[in-house]
Amino acid sequence: MKAPVVVIGSGVGGLAAALRLRSLGHEVVVCEAGESLGGLAAGLVAGGMTFDGGPYILLDRPGLEWACRRLEVPVEGPLTMRRILEPYQVSFGEEAPVRIHHDRDLTASELDTRWPGAGLRYRRFVTEMEKIYVRTSPLLYIPRPRPWQAWSSLPFLMRSLGSVLTRARLPSAVARALSIWTQVAGQDLSEAPAPMALVPALMHQVGAWYPSGGIRAIPEVLATLGHTRGIEFKTRARVKAVRCEGGRVTGVELADGTRIRALAVLSNSHGVGTYLDLVGGIQAKARTRLEKLPLQSPGVGAYLRVRRSAEPPYLRFHVPSERESCRLFVATAEVDPACERDGWSPARLVAPMSHHIAEREGESGQREYLARLLEEPWWKRGLAEYEVVATRVPAEWGRCHHLYRDSMNPVMTARFMRAGRIAHRSPYVRGLYFAGSSTHPGQWVSFCAISGIHAAEALHEDHR
């Protein structure tokens, strides 16, 4: 009997890879260190309410639909999508917020009211980004795009987000509002990849979406189909080591001593952590390069029961000063009214925390930082009542999801993206493959699903 493929981790990338491998005829065993499936996209239950634990918005519905077609997963039905009409706003100090609506003309009109002429420049910028999106989006479905496949977009792809926004000549507050996603991802504006500038085009053209039941519904649907299609899931099964002989993977060893022989291993765990903690014998030069990659912290978060304000938008970003990072209040009931219970609805207060600061401060310092955020008044405006029912700081994320150095993945800088990121097919160990956010040009749920499919198809090509 042929040995199974072992998938380490049941995040969206791992679940997508497992489903694709199963459809290609492989036996698949998914080893999940935690008690439930879904990884960082899984849900969290606290105070009688269910929350998204991690991601909070879907900005690439076409990418998710491509992945679902490949996995034979119906998007409509198990995944009912709602378009977010009032996606987000960003306030700076006590200034009036910059609001980004789904409607481009409404957004431009509001900008013109505050900064005459800004509306026209915004329209031109979004139109240019829409054209670039049309040219570049097919590259997402190619595992390793070659330079000639992106030739027409290379000048754009070689730049940083900061340089793209500078050329747009938008008011500083508007440019900062458009780049707010880089702060959440722990990216410096001068180092963030240019494709982050496509977000406004996605907002207005493709749309921002939210699945009924939360982002967590996506891994839930994939896991349910996995059970139906005969994938073996092992929870509380932390992989201690990837076993190799002669430079080739032979299987995995679990923390309890169990060994599983494998045709190949596909890791949806941290890419850097897989190499440095689970696989032995990596070349010294490769280890040094991996150790130097900057890591992204999962940040801090408070999960709340609130008696909500009826006022949009869904996401309210706040930047107290130029020297402080952003904070974010997520009003779930604005996009999913069914989540309300007896007048209460779930909400979240989250903020990035630089990985090196989180490591330096330790868990006590991380908790002090979150406590200070909870004392800030800006996010409480419009709330009749609130109650903190759970919190998470980087150390807790690390324990819950067995994260490498309490981090999610390497920071997706422009340089890291151009260098090819972590390859789906390991160049160091035969039979080792990777899926997840460190292998694709972003950290969105859709990108993780796409990367899982790419990794599965590379594995199948090598082991027919």
Side-chain angles (χ1 to χ4, degrees):
M1 180 179 175
K2 202 178 218 182
V5 174
V6 172
V7 176
I8 303 174
S10 67
V12 170
L15 293 170
L19 284 167
R20 184 62 181 144
L21 286 166
R22 193 74 186 100
S23 71
L24 291 170
H26 295 274
E27 295 297 320
V28 183
V29 177
V30 177
C31 294
E32 167 56 49
E35 297 182 1
S36 58
L37 306 177
L40 292 171
L44 170 71
V45 178
M49 316 213 86
T50 304
F51 301 82
D52 280 329
Y56 37 77
I57 196 168
L58 178 65
L59 294 176
D60 180 36
R61 180 168 177 169
L64 181 64
E65 290 177 338
W66 180 91
C68 286
R69 287 193 298 271
R70 204 79 165 185
L71 299 174
E72 302 175 37
V73 176
V75 177
E76 297 298 338
L79 289 174
T80 302
M81 298 288 183
R82 299 173 183 271
R83 182 162 187 176
I84 305 174
L85 300 182
E86 301 294 337
Y88 78 101
Q89 70 177 37
V90 185
S91 59
F92 302 97
E94 296 302 317
E95 296 178 11
V98 177
R99 298 189 68 163
I100 305 298
H101 308 274
H102 85 287
D103 186 289
R104 171 175 31 192
D105 292 334
L106 177 57
T107 303
S109 177
E110 284 192 5
L111 297 181
D112 252 336
T113 301
R114 293 178 64 181
W115 300 281
L120 178 60
R121 291 197 293 275
Y122 182 78
R123 287 189 181 92
R124 287 174 177 169
F125 172 71
V126 172
T127 299
E128 180 185 0
M129 292 303 105
E130 286 176 343
K131 291 176 181 176
I132 293 173
Y133 170 73
V134 170
R135 293 200 306 268
T136 58
S137 58
L139 300 177
L140 295 174
Y141 313 125
I142 302 173
R144 300 286 286 182
R146 304 302 182 191
W148 62 84
Q149 292 172 305
W151 189 257
S152 63
S153 301
L154 274 179
F156 172 78
L157 295 173
M158 294 297 290
R159 294 159 60 195
S160 69
L161 173 62
S163 68
V164 173
L165 291 173
T166 297
R167 283 188 57 181
R169 296 173 47 245
L170 295 166
S172 174
V174 178
R176 291 170 66 197
L178 298 183
S179 67
I180 199 69
W181 307 95
T182 68
Q183 281 202 34
V184 176
Q187 299 164 324
D188 183 88
L189 191 60
S190 64
E191 296 181 348
M196 291 298 291
L198 301 177
V199 171
L202 292 168
M203 288 280 183
H204 300 312
Q205 185 187 68
V206 174
W209 298 84
Y210 189 80
S212 180
I215 298 293
R216 61 192 178 275
I218 296 172
E220 288 172 359
V221 166
L222 298 181
T224 298
L225 287 172
H227 284 292
T228 302
R229 295 176 186 178
I231 295 171
E232 181 181 354
F233 291 100
K234 293 180 178 291
T235 55
R236 300 182 184 178
R238 181 172 66 85
V239 172
K240 174 184 175 183
V242 174
R243 293 296 176 187
C244 305
E245 290 181 10
R248 176 181 289 278
V249 165
T250 58
V252 300
E253 181 180 350
L254 304 184
D256 65 3
T258 302
R259 294 197 177 193
I260 304 174
R261 188 169 62 90
L263 173 71
V265 170
L266 193 154
S267 179
N268 182 220
S269 184
H270 198 295
V272 174
T274 299
Y275 276 125
L276 300 185
D277 284 355
L278 303 184
V279 181
I282 300 298
Q283 303 165 6
K285 187 176 180 180
R287 287 188 67 90
T288 299
R289 183 179 67 82
L290 291 164
E291 287 169 348
K292 287 183 177 179
L293 289 173
L295 301 177
Q296 180 183 342
S297 166
V300 301
Y303 298 82
L304 309 140
R305 290 194 331 144
V306 303
R307 293 195 183 276
R308 72 184 182 105
S309 162
E311 297 180 3
Y314 167 48
L315 304 176
R316 285 193 283 146
F317 293 94
H318 180 67
V319 184
S321 69
E322 290 190 8
R323 292 188 296 179
E324 295 182 88
S325 63
C326 71
R327 299 89 156 91
L328 169 62
F329 183 77
V330 185
T332 308
E334 295 295 340
V335 293
D336 194 4
C339 71
E340 287 191 313
R341 297 288 184 274
D342 301 321
W344 292 90
S345 60
R348 282 191 286 166
L349 177 66
V350 297
M353 189 175 194
S354 296
H355 183 261
H356 73 278
I357 294 176
E359 280 200 324
R360 183 189 70 203
E361 297 294 321
E363 186 167 354
S364 61
Q366 297 165 14
R367 291 192 178 282
E368 288 174 7
Y369 176 54
L370 178 56
R372 290 196 299 271
L373 297 180
L374 285 166
E375 291 300 317
E376 294 179 351
W378 66 272
W379 64 270
K380 302 171 187 175
R381 293 167 190 154
L383 297 180
E385 198 174 350
Y386 70 89
E387 177 186 353
V388 179
V389 295
T391 59
R392 275 190 180 172
V393 296
E396 285 177 293
W397 281 106
R399 286 195 297 271
C400 179
H401 295 284
H402 302 273
L403 303 179
Y404 170 71
R405 290 177 57 188
D406 297 341
S407 73
M408 295 192 294
N409 46 255
V411 176
M412 192 61 66
T413 63
R415 179 181 298 179
F416 184 46
M417 189 186 77
R418 289 194 296 265
R421 309 170 300 278
I422 290 178
H424 293 110
R425 181 189 282 112
S426 172
Y428 313 117
V429 182
R430 287 173 292 166
L432 179 62
Y433 303 81
F434 290 87
S437 59
S438 60
T439 67
H440 219 61
Q443 298 142 17
W444 299 344
V445 167
S446 56
F447 290 174
C448 292
I450 293 168
S451 81
I453 293 168
H454 288 333
E457 292 178 349
L459 188 158
H460 177 68
E461 182 180 326
D462 294 343
H463 297 84
R464 289 182 179 179

